[in-house]
Amino acid sequence: MSGLTVALDAMGGDFGPQVTVPASVQALLQFPELKVILFGDQSAITAQLSLLNHTNHPRLRIVHCDHVIANDTRPSQALRRSQGSSMRSALEAVAEGTADACVSAGNTGALMALSRYILKQLPGVDRPALVSAIPTHNETKTWLLDLGANVSCDSDTLFQFAVMGSVLAEQDHAALPRVALLNIGEEEIKGNDLVKRCAEMLADSPDINYIGYLEGDQLYSGKADVIVCDGFVGNVSLKTSEGVANLFIGAIKRAIYGNPFKQLIARWLFSDLFNSLKQLNPDQYNGASLLGLRGIVVKSHGSADTTALTNAIGEAVHEVKRQIPTKISDRLEEVLLERHY
């Protein structure tokens, strides 16, 4: 692929152009083939570009938008009142073929609703799923979905999540990805009827390498390449994990960094530990993909800093290169045909 374009909702997130513009510049440095279209208030974006001395970057373009979808806007309101907003305009660029992917740190519910309305779902997909990679003990990645786009799901939807997550893991070089369901126990008798029914469906599918149930304490064990759950469970699990990681990292920083001598000794004696701690930083895994759409949409944390948002743009770049929607569509067609017959 000679070049690709990402449409960025420059007004999304807690900090807007103060983060989105520097992140765009960082991403352009990392990916020479990348072009970025910034959707938002032109004067605010231009002011940030001036501070960075990048007002005339050849691979960066600004599209002015008059409106911003607020974080407290209901999805139904976003659908009715989103015309001319930075988020909707970025999604429309993907639908029109002007951009290959959209990245936004804005309102998750609004992004989900607008993505379904503008880009539509792939055939065989009832609901798109938010998915992101999480670190593991063996330094591989596990893909966790859904992370909050769908608070409640039936067994068919969970099955679709498993198929989509498996395709994503395959493109991340996981041969025959191991798929598990997140549950309150590993025994077959555990869990609600929806999870049990999905387990039966996965066990009967020759296209899915289903390995059974995993409990919450095994999220980071590396036992599975894909872990499936509904959005309520997934969001609580992820946010709790991020909180524990930040608590742990903060405690170590308070114990060491307040004393220059301790800091020097610690860096000398525990350099491997500090490298491992970097892998626990949630910013390293920022960028949750909305899988199941006829286009690529990546959702960033609203509180993301420049580094974290740059990682989200990078995730969009990787998905474009791997043609994730096309591969998910092909796999879903195969699986649905097999189930039908």
Side-chain angles (χ1 to χ4, degrees), residues 10-32:
M11 311 308 292
D14 297 345
F15 309 107
Q18 294 179 27
V19 164
T20 57
V21 174
S24 299
V25 173
Q26 283 290 106
L28 290 170
L29 291 172
Q30 286 185 22
F31 303 100

Side-chain angles (χ1 to χ4, degrees), residues 17 27 36 74 83 89 96 140 154 184 189 198 219 242 244 257 298 313 324:
V36 175
R74 295 178 180 273
Q83 198 68 43
S89 298
E96 295 163 1
T140 60
D154 60 23
I184 58 173
I189 62 171
C198 183
L219 274 177
E242 290 177 350
V244 172
Y257 287 97
V298 174
I313 297 172
I324 296 299

Side-chain angles (χ1 to χ4, degrees), residues 165-170 174-179 208-211 225-226:
S166 186
V167 172
L168 189 60
E170 280 181 6
L176 200 62
R178 299 158 298 166
V179 178
I208 303 294
N209 181 22
Y210 177 62
I211 63 171
D225 301 298
V226 179

Side-chain angles (χ1 to χ4, degrees), residues 178-315:
R178 299 158 298 166
V179 178
L181 287 170
L182 188 59
N183 201 1
I184 58 173
E186 294 185 57
E187 300 84 357
E188 291 184 8
I189 62 171
K190 295 290 182 70
N192 58 38
D193 291 340
L194 294 176
V195 171
K196 291 178 182 177
R197 173 58 186 146
C198 183
E200 294 173 358
M201 295 165 64
L202 290 171
D204 291 339
S205 176
D207 292 291
I208 303 294
N209 181 22
Y210 177 62
I211 63 171
Y213 297 142
L214 288 185
E215 295 187 75
D217 62 347
Q218 297 175 315
L219 274 177
Y220 302 93
S221 65
K223 290 183 177 180
D225 301 298
V226 179
I227 300 177
V228 177
C229 57
D230 65 44
F232 184 90
V233 172
N235 188 271
V236 171
S237 299
L238 184 67
K239 295 296 176 64
T240 302
S241 300
E242 290 177 350
V244 172
N246 286 326
L247 176 67
F248 181 64
I249 293 170
I252 290 183
K253 285 182 177 179
R254 286 191 299 273
I256 294 174
Y257 287 97
N259 185 308
F261 180 71
K262 282 185 179 180
Q263 184 176 345
L264 180 64
I265 295 298
R267 287 192 177 277
W268 178 52
L269 292 176
F270 306 114
S271 58
D272 291 341
L273 172 62
F274 283 101
N275 288 331
S276 298
L277 287 176
K278 290 179 182 178
Q279 300 303 313
L280 294 179
N281 188 340
D283 289 348
Q284 298 294 319
Y285 300 90
N286 183 50
S289 306
L290 266 176
L291 290 186
L293 296 166
R294 298 174 186 262
I296 294 170
V297 178
V298 174
K299 171 67 175 71
S300 165
H301 283 306
S303 60
D305 61 12
T306 298
T307 300
L309 189 60
T310 303
N311 289 334
I313 297 172
E315 176 59 31

